[in-house]
Amino acid sequence: MKSQKSFEQQVTGGILYLVPTPIGNLEDITFRALRVMKEADLIAAEDTRNTIKLLNHFEISTKMISYHQHSDGGRLEELVDKLSAGETIALVSDAGMPSISDPGFELVQAALSKEITVVPLPGANAALTALIASGLAPQPFYFYGFLPRQNKERREALQKLARRQETWILYESPHRLKEALKAIEKAVGGTRQIVLCRELTKRYEEFLRGTVSEALEWANEQEVRGEFCLIVAGNEQADDSDEETAWWQALSVKEHVEQVMAQQSLTSKDAIKQVMKERGLPKREVYAAYHEI
């Protein structure tokens, strides 16, 4: 085990600070976050065009450099070299916690591999902000983030989420919300409770509470705007049998049906019924997946 004592004097190397930024309302910045950004040698920002607005508002003149998901390996090495040379870097994302749905994780890993101190600051976070106001069970919960863009990968991800007992949390952009809700409805049915949390902490903050079908109806009728956090109720019918059937969790629905047919000499009709029960999915979803409709 390697010990890190964040507030003891560092013998070698600098410090990587993970600094949360407001998710909408600038008043949600902390005094400590402002101090760290002012005192840092460098701010590594997901989008410098966005972060400069925050820095200008609070009159922070610290030098800034871009670091985002499209940055090449050279930028990562450059930041690690600066940290190794004793510089202090404040890592910030566009909004909320660094390394949640942004590339900060890779920088944290690289810094730790060089035994560089990594210090997290508490602060704004969209997922927890939405969860505690959703009205759905706040614990246990499962944070997933953004769903895959491709239909197959998204469907498989939702099939796994549909079996979870925990309340689950997704992020979604406005132009993808309708497709995401359609996929969720196919995976869990229309009666599962969901909360659409829109424009958190901003002027047009809104919570839309109801069933998945009602959420999809709303999205089809309204002009969808703003970033969304989706809070979805867990599967109340899930039980510990998931552990006993772990063998199929890595399979697609079609592969699962085929394995059941082969192992138990069942017809496709009976195998579909069994897979439907094991996965907690609607019959039509399993039927369509098996027949590739």
Side-chain angles (χ1 to χ4, degrees), residues 145-147 154 170-174 176-177 180 226-230:
F146 287 97
L147 289 169
R154 180 171 57 197
L170 305 173
Y171 287 158
E172 199 51 85
S173 61
R176 292 174 53 194
L177 180 68
E227 298 298 319
F228 285 81
C229 187
L230 280 56

Side-chain angles (χ1 to χ4, degrees), residues 163 245 247-248 253-254 256-261 264-291:
R163 299 191 299 271
T245 57
W247 64 270
W248 52 257
V253 174
K254 181 178 181 180
H256 188 180
V257 174
E258 292 172 341
Q259 287 281 1
V260 170
M261 291 172 62
Q264 302 181 35
S265 300
L266 296 178
T267 64
S268 61
K269 181 179 179 181
D270 290 333
I272 286 172
K273 288 181 180 179
Q274 180 169 324
V275 170
M276 172 188 73
K277 293 178 181 179
E278 291 180 345
R279 288 181 176 256
L281 294 175
K283 182 179 179 180
R284 65 179 183 277
E285 176 74 10
V286 180
Y287 182 90
Y290 175 70
H291 292 286

Side-chain angles (χ1 to χ4, degrees), residues 47-220:
D47 188 336
T48 56
R49 297 166 300 179
N50 185 67
T51 302
I52 193 63
K53 300 174 185 176
L54 177 70
L55 300 186
N56 288 341
H57 182 83
F58 290 105
E59 299 180 347
I60 298 173
S61 58
T62 306
K63 182 181 177 182
M64 186 167 48
I65 191 172
S66 65
Y67 177 66
H68 48 76
Q69 62 180 343
H70 302 297
S71 298
D72 58 27
R75 179 52 52 89
L76 177 64
E77 293 179 5
E78 177 185 355
L79 293 174
V80 173
D81 287 344
K82 289 179 180 296
L83 288 165
S84 298
E87 292 191 28
T88 296
I89 296 178
L91 176 66
V92 302
S93 61
D94 282 351
M97 290 279 185
S99 90
I100 301 295
S101 298
D102 75 19
F105 174 64
E106 286 83 359
L107 180 56
V108 170
Q109 278 193 319
L112 292 176
S113 71
K114 299 292 186 179
E115 299 189 0
I116 293 166
T117 297
V118 177
V119 178
L121 274 63
N125 174 267
L128 294 181
T129 301
L131 177 65
I132 61 175
S134 69
L136 300 180
Q139 56 196 35
F141 70 86
Y142 181 83
F143 174 75
Y144 186 90
F146 287 97
L147 289 169
R149 291 179 178 271
Q150 300 301 315
N151 289 335
K152 180 182 178 182
E153 287 78 5
R154 180 171 57 197
R155 183 173 62 250
E156 291 175 350
L158 285 169
Q159 287 169 354
K160 293 179 181 179
L161 287 169
R163 299 191 299 271
R164 302 197 72 95
Q165 289 180 299
E166 309 98 324
T167 299
W168 31 288
I169 306 174
L170 305 173
Y171 287 158
E172 199 51 85
S173 61
H175 65 277
R176 292 174 53 194
L177 180 68
K178 292 179 186 179
E179 291 303 314
L181 290 173
K182 288 178 184 178
I184 292 172
E185 185 179 47
K186 287 183 179 179
V188 305
T191 60
R192 186 82 68 94
Q193 291 293 305
I194 189 172
V195 183
L196 308 184
C197 309
R198 169 179 169 273
E199 293 289 86
L200 289 168
T201 78
K202 301 176 184 177
R203 179 182 178 184
Y204 296 105
E205 177 178 275
E206 184 175 15
F207 296 89
L208 298 147
R209 302 178 176 92
T211 65
V212 172
S213 291
E214 290 170 339
L216 181 55
E217 182 180 357
W218 175 87
N220 284 326

